[in-house]
Every structure is written in C-alpha cells, then in structure tokens.
Amino acid sequence: MKDQQEQELLKGLAQSDRKAIETVYRDNYNLVQALVVNNGGTADDAKDVFQEAMVVLYEKARSAQFKLESSIRTYLYAVSRRLWLKKLALQNRMQVVADAEAIDLDVAEDVADEAEKARQHIAMEGALGQLGEPCRTLIEAFYFKKKNMGEIAALLGYTNADNAKTQKYKCLMRLKKLFFAQAKTAS
Amino acid sequence: MNEQQLTELIERYIGGEMSPDERLYFEQLRKSNPEVDSAVVEHTLFAQQLDRYAGVKDFKAKMTGVHNTLAQSGAIAPGSQKSGGRVVQLFHRYKRTAAIAASIAGITALSISVLVSSINPGAPTADIANLNRKLNELNRKNQEQDRAINKVAQNVAAPVVSYKRGGTGFLVSTQGYLVTNAHVVQDATNIAVQSNSGKEYATKLVFTDAARDLAILKIVDSAFKAPAQLPYSIKKGTADIAEPIYTLGFPRNDMVYGEGYLAAKTGLNGDTLTCQISIAANPGNSGGPILNRKGEVVGVLSTKQTSAEGVVFATQSKYIYQALATLQEDDTAARRIKIPAVPGLKTTDRTQQVKKIADYVFMVKVS
C-alpha cells in the first residue's frame, strides 16, 4: 500500500507535478534541516542541500531504468547527508555527522552523477546567458515550451515560419558552441 | 542538403514527426552516411541536455515555490527564524571549533607556566652578587683592552695621504715659514712640502691673502732642521723693466730652472699688485720665487695668461712684507722672522746661486 503511494509520488516528481513535490517536501524537509542545522549548518544550507537531493531524486525518477531500493525518505536523507559531508569537506571542516537515523544505503554513485550533471546544468545556464536576445527567447520557446515555429514567428515578429527556422538554426549552432566552451572551462 | 536542413530532419526524426516512408528513408541515409549518423547522435545528446536543463530548471522553480508556501503555512520548520541573526548563526557554526581552540590554548598556557616555574626556582641573592663581581671583572678587562688598543694605535703609522695638486714655495725665515700662492693651498685638507732632496715635511697654513694671491705656510714637522741663513733677500721696491730674472719651481717632480725678464711693472689690465714677466712657466711653478741677478726675490710667480703665449704674472715682492706684517700681529712666533737686508749671493755666479737657493725652494703638495 505504501509502496503504491511512493510509486505515484515518484511518477509525479518525474513530471514535475507540483502536488507531488509539495508532498515529498513536506514529509522530508524537516528531517534534512535538522541534520544540517545540528551539524554546523544554517537553514539556508539545509534548503540548498535538500533541494539538491530532490533534484537527484527527480533525475532518477525520470530515467527509464529507475528502481528505488528504499523509501523516498531514506533515499533523500542518505543523499542529503552525503552532500552535506561533501560541503563540510570543501570548507575543511570535517566533522562526525550525528545521525538522526541509521542508514545503510549507498548513494555515492548517484551523488557523483549529480555533481557531473550539476556542472552541465551550470554550463548550459552560462551558455544561455551569453546567447543574448532574441536567440534565448527563441531557443526557450522551441525547446523548453515546445512551441511550433508558426507561433514563434508570430511571437518574435518574423514574417514567416521559415525565417524563424533559419534563425533558430543559427541560434542553436551558437548555443552549442557556447555550451561546449563553458563545459570545457568548468571541468 | 545543407546543414540546416539536416538539423531540421534530425529534429523531426527525434521528435517522431516523420511519416513511416520518410523515416525509412532517413534511417537508410543514417546507415549509408556516417556523417549523418554522427550528426544525429550529437544532436540527440545535445537535445537531451537542453531537455534536462529545462526540466531541472522547472523543477527547481516549483520547489522554491513549494518551499515558500510550506514555510508560510508552517508545515516545515522556519529555519532562518530559528537560527536568528548572522552573528548567532556564526556562533552556532563555530562554537565547537572555538571551544576546542580555547581549551587547547588554556591547557598550553597552564602547562607552560607550570614548566617555567619548575625549571626556574627563583633567583637567589648569591647569583646577583656573583654577577656584580663579574661585571667589575668585565670592566677591568675592558680597560686592559683599551690600553692595549691605545698602544697599538700609537704604533700605527699615520695614514698615507695621497697629494693631488701641487705648487712651489720658498722659505722666508729659518724657522720654517714659507711663501707660496693662495690658490695653491686653496681648499686644502693636508699640506706638505718636499725639499729638493726629496724630504717631506708636514706643514700648516698660517696665513692667506686671496687678493694678492699669497699664502704663508709653516713647517710643523719635527724632522725639519732650520737652515743657517737665507741666501736671498726680498726686494722692498719694484723691479725695473727688462731686468733679467729667473725662477725655480716644480712643474714636475724635479726642480726646474727658468729664465726671463721683467716685462711690465703692472699685471693684467694694469693690476698694480702684480707685474708681468716673460718666462716659461707651467702649472706647478705657481708660488715659485722670482729672483733677479743679485739674488733678490722680486716676486712670487702666480698666474699665466691663457690667451697669450709667455705672458706670466707675479705678485710683487713688497706684498710679502705686508703679509708677514699682518701675520706677525697675531702670531708671536712669526715676529722672530728676520729677512736679510742684503742678498748673500750678490756676487756669486748664477750656477752657484741656484745651487744654494735650491735648498730653500720646496715643492708644495696639497690634498
């Protein structure tokens, strides 16, 4: 019964369903915040750590071959704990984390994957930031909002869809270039 | 097919917008053309990146919204209020570190003070007395050393002075008073005179008169032996034009004899202090005596006109008397200066005169 509920929640997360996000958030945030605040962090640190863990879960839920071996709560706690330990290590403040719950879940791989993905996310953000208008709007409209070329031509004031297509192609090429340049400097 | 069209095809292919026929054709193209295939793979990956970026961005934005809603409704602990202000946050963050640091510091301070007090058991008075005695001993040793150093210092010869300029001077008294040019000894720190035989005597400047370009030196060296009597006198009046004269000087390291005649009774531009003579003179001749046939000093060779050849000026000898008179006013020793009224070599021939007089003419060395 509980399993059923969790599967539904994960599906919701994968679709970025606000209700599912809210449920997971409400059920687990306090636990993670207690962990971080009790181990030398602030509430803001806790928020960052928890949201990062949520993204890890979101990515997992979206991938086709995903199967969660534990409860959502345990998974989020384990990932948050690992993330927070990493942050402490970066600040040279290694500490023994006082655990609120006993865990025996290995999330090292997921967290490492997430770190790589986060780098790419930042690279893409940087590339889009450098792209400039109207390219940015065009790319976002086509790839993020999935609008068709006719709508985009109307939105940006191109005379017809073909013009918008040519423009989109040019913008895409530039974005690729920027993204790979960003990814290179970031790594 | 250009790249734009290819990209468009790829996008439609990935998006599943192709008709079955078109799809079949495109897949065949992929197989036959590796370039198209790699373009498809690359674009697929990039599209995934974009898609993922959009998804995460959207997810994050929703989470922020959820967080704010939940925080407002009180469903999640409002952490920021709980942790208080920045200082309180910092305190919470670092309290453990601070406590450890403080206790380490405390322990270190305590152990050092314990260590110091155990190693250093007070200062007994006996030690102080000892120290005092040692100080006295040190003082005594210092004095001994001072004495030793003084002894050594007395034995050390006076530093060798290298003289850079020079001129000529001649004795005007047997006590060691010499006349030379003021410009020869100008700005001098050390003055020495060297006799024709090569003996050097330390000398001090006792009088200068820049206007007449005269200076009087006194040999202060104990090695100086006073000669018997001056072989020449000094003329009180003015010499006559065409009178043959000669001079002795040190334009180089050996004494040089020069012969000429009195050319004019006045010097450059009618200067009455000097007279013009015609004689071969070089730097170093300055301060040399100008003597006439009778062995009377009639002047002191001083300057040379640079714009004309063989035009030399000499300070007239009567001003030597004036200079001596001024000197005698405040130098009691100088009052004993007696200049012969009659030249002693009046009848001797020139060669014998010069031989005699040479002992009374000195090279003046200045540094």
Side-chain angles (χ1 to χ4, degrees), chain A residues 132-149:
Chain A
E133 295 300 343
C135 271
R136 194 188 165 131
T137 313
L138 211 166
I139 293 283
E140 281 181 353
F142 185 80
Y143 289 100
F144 299 175
K145 293 170 192 157
K146 313 285 183 201
K147 290 189 176 167
N148 68 43
M149 287 325 280

Side-chain angles (χ1 to χ4, degrees), chain A residues 16 18 25 30 33 43 45 51 54 58-59 93 117 120 128 143-144 165-166 168-169 172 176, chain B residues 3-4 7-8 11 42-43 49-50 52-56 59 62-63 67 69 76-77 79-80 93:
Chain A
S16 265
R18 197 189 151 99
Y25 216 102
N30 284 346
Q33 176 167 284
D45 291 334
Q51 293 200 350
M54 283 287 278
Y58 163 77
E59 300 262 14
R93 291 169 53 218
K117 282 177 182 163
Q120 283 173 357
L128 277 169
Y143 289 100
F144 299 175
K165 265 184 199 169
T166 312
K168 189 214 78 183
Y169 169 74
L172 184 68
K176 268 191 191 176
Chain B
E3 272 190 52
Q4 188 189 339
T7 311
E8 213 176 297
E11 278 182 350
E42 195 206 304
H43 190 85
Q49 285 291 355
L50 270 175
R52 194 191 152 269
Y53 173 78
V56 170
F59 187 76
K62 277 186 183 148
M63 268 203 300
H67 186 93
T69 328
I76 56 172
S80 34
R93 179 177 288 190

Side-chain angles (χ1 to χ4, degrees), chain A residues 16-29:
Chain A
S16 265
D17 175 48
R18 197 189 151 99
K19 247 208 137 70
I21 296 173
E22 197 176 322
T23 311
V24 176
Y25 216 102
R26 184 190 294 126
D27 290 349
N28 300 290
Y29 180 75

Side-chain angles (χ1 to χ4, degrees), chain B residues 106-155:
Chain B
I107 290 167
T108 313
L110 268 177
S111 47
I112 286 176
S113 59
V114 166
L115 212 72
V116 165
S117 63
S118 68
I119 286 173
N120 203 9
T125 43
D127 275 3
I128 293 173
N130 265 343
L131 223 67
N132 232 340
R133 211 168 53 223
K134 272 188 185 151
L135 265 181
N136 285 339
E137 213 168 297
L138 271 177
N139 245 339
R140 201 167 46 75
K141 274 190 181 158
N142 253 347
Q143 285 167 0
E144 275 171 18
Q145 275 171 354
D146 280 350
R147 271 199 292 275
I149 289 170
N150 276 340
K151 256 186 228 166
V152 172
Q154 278 164 5
N155 290 339

